[in-house]
Amino acid sequence: MLTNRGNLYDMLGRPVEAIDCYEAAARLYPGFGMAIANKGMAVEYLAPIATYPATCRIYAHQLYQQALQHEGSIRQVGGDEALASFRLRDSAIVRAFTDAGRAQLLHQDLRHEHYDESSLSPFVRFYTEFCIRHRLYLNLHIYDQTAADQSAIP
């Protein structure tokens, strides 16, 4: 049900809310490849408008790889067509990074330290916490330390 809700958000052009649904589905059903791969697609859709598009594509690749470890759950819900679609999307990302000579980045650990909020004013801190608490996704990234030299990456 949560994955279907995420799909509806995706269809409405609301990928951030879709990601929230896919993550909830994956928490309830770990190893549910369809939710994981759909999250990968939503992250990939955000890449062209994100501050760090390459980071989005790297993360999407990593999600596709994780999802494809659970082929049975993808096939059960979406059939062979869904499985083929996820493989195709993933191979396009791999090809783009390989062609750019940056394939090694696809294995990059994207985790980083929590954003240092000490320099934020009390209002900005309140505003940020309010938006997160009420799921008001107005800004996708404040700053991402892992995204260096994005101009040279697909």
Side-chain angles (χ1 to χ4, degrees):
M1 196 64 141
L2 288 166
T3 302
N4 289 339
R5 181 186 294 170
N7 292 342
L8 290 172
Y9 277 127
D10 258 344
M11 289 171 53
L12 292 172
R14 296 172 59 180
V16 175
E17 289 91 340
I19 290 169
D20 196 35
C21 290
Y22 300 139
E23 287 177 345
R27 278 191 305 274
L28 284 174
Y29 306 102
F32 183 41
M34 185 62 83
I36 298 166
N38 282 351
K39 179 181 173 185
M41 282 181 38
V43 169
E44 190 179 355
Y45 291 149
L46 285 173
I49 63 167
T51 304
Y52 303 105
T55 302
C56 288
R57 290 183 181 101
I58 291 167
Y59 188 41
H61 163 72
Q62 293 172 356
L63 288 167
Y64 290 138
Q65 289 297 300
Q66 180 184 350
L68 291 170
Q69 293 175 12
H70 306 283
E71 285 186 15
S73 67
I74 295 172
R75 193 174 276 125
Q76 181 180 12
V77 176
D80 289 332
E81 297 82 17
L83 191 58
S85 173
F86 296 141
R87 283 186 178 137
L88 186 64
R89 298 184 77 84
D90 184 49
S91 67
I93 293 171
V94 171
R95 187 171 44 258
F97 276 81
T98 302
D99 290 351
R102 306 300 294 262
Q104 74 281 3
L105 294 177
L106 294 171
H107 306 290
Q108 179 179 349
D109 184 354
L110 296 178
R111 293 174 294 183
H112 53 82
E113 296 296 318
H114 183 70
Y115 178 73
D116 179 15
E117 299 172 1
S118 63
S119 65
L120 300 178
S121 71
F123 172 75
V124 171
R125 192 172 301 138
F126 162 79
Y127 176 75
T128 302
E129 290 171 5
F130 179 86
C131 289
I132 291 169
R133 185 172 45 255
H134 296 285
R135 293 190 160 107
L136 300 172
Y137 303 109
L138 304 176
N139 185 355
L140 300 178
H141 272 299
I142 294 174
Y143 180 73
D144 186 345
Q145 294 175 286
T146 65
D149 192 19
Q150 293 286 316
S151 62
I153 307 170

